[in-house]
Amino acid sequence: RSPRDKSVTTRRGAPTMMPARTTPIQPKEMLSSSTTPWVKRYLNARPKDILLPVPKEYISDGFNLAQLAPIVERIGFQVIGPDAVDVAKRLVQLPSPQPSYPIYRLALQLLLNEDENEEPNILTHPLIPPEAIQEAAEALYLMIHARFVTSPRGLDALRRILLSSPVFGKCPRPQCNGTMLLPYGPSNDFTCNANSCQRYCPCCGNLWNHWESKTDGCAWGPSLCYLLLMAHGHELFPSAGHHQRPPPSSLE
């Protein structure tokens, strides 16, 4: 038998399956050993957001970071506020050569850092305040998270979590018979809106705004529900069959 075969053989040679796991799989259990200290602390501080731990190798892959640098840089300067223009000019005037997108690079360094004692040094910059680096790091993680959950590895992680427990809740409409909800974000852009996450019901097609999550909707994005239903819809919602309602992004 292959190593993935969890069956055992009785004395008569008839295979019997090992008992299935009875405790729900929590998102923080998934891939937690391969992520970074910053990510672990961030997720532990926001348990109701139900975000997945993105592996370090995914965060460090430049392909997964494409086009994020200018967006994160702009978010960092927005945090700086009225002094942003002055800070930008002074960054250019520093004697030592400065890399492009310095706030983005510090935010990425914070995400990937393995030594917690090194974090104060990352947050200490002569011109960029630490709160701008922290906010940029959070925005960067959420946008990376949205890309990870729509990857094959992320979709499979969500599939295993949802098969274990409806962690995002169930649809309150009686005709949906407790269909589990899926996370949905109306936009891929970071909006600084702490209440932009919604939950989507594949049975009735409704979007539910009430959710205890306080994260920005870009953490999930508008494409996740569609891709998850395409990849694992029949396994996650076997009773829905052809009655699954497509999410809003697929109707545009």
Side-chain angles (χ1 to χ4, degrees), residues 27-37 39-40 53-57 114 153:
K28 287 187 293 184
E29 295 180 39
M30 309 290 294
L31 313 170
S32 58
S33 61
S34 62
T35 192
T36 65
V39 173
K40 291 178 182 179
V54 180
K56 181 179 180 180
E57 65 269 17
E114 291 283 0
R153 188 176 180 183

Side-chain angles (χ1 to χ4, degrees), residues 2 11 105 108 116-117 128 188 206 241 252:
S2 65
R11 292 182 179 178
R105 295 188 183 280
L108 181 60
E116 296 186 35
N117 296 325
I128 302 172
N188 289 316
N206 279 3
E252 298 174 355

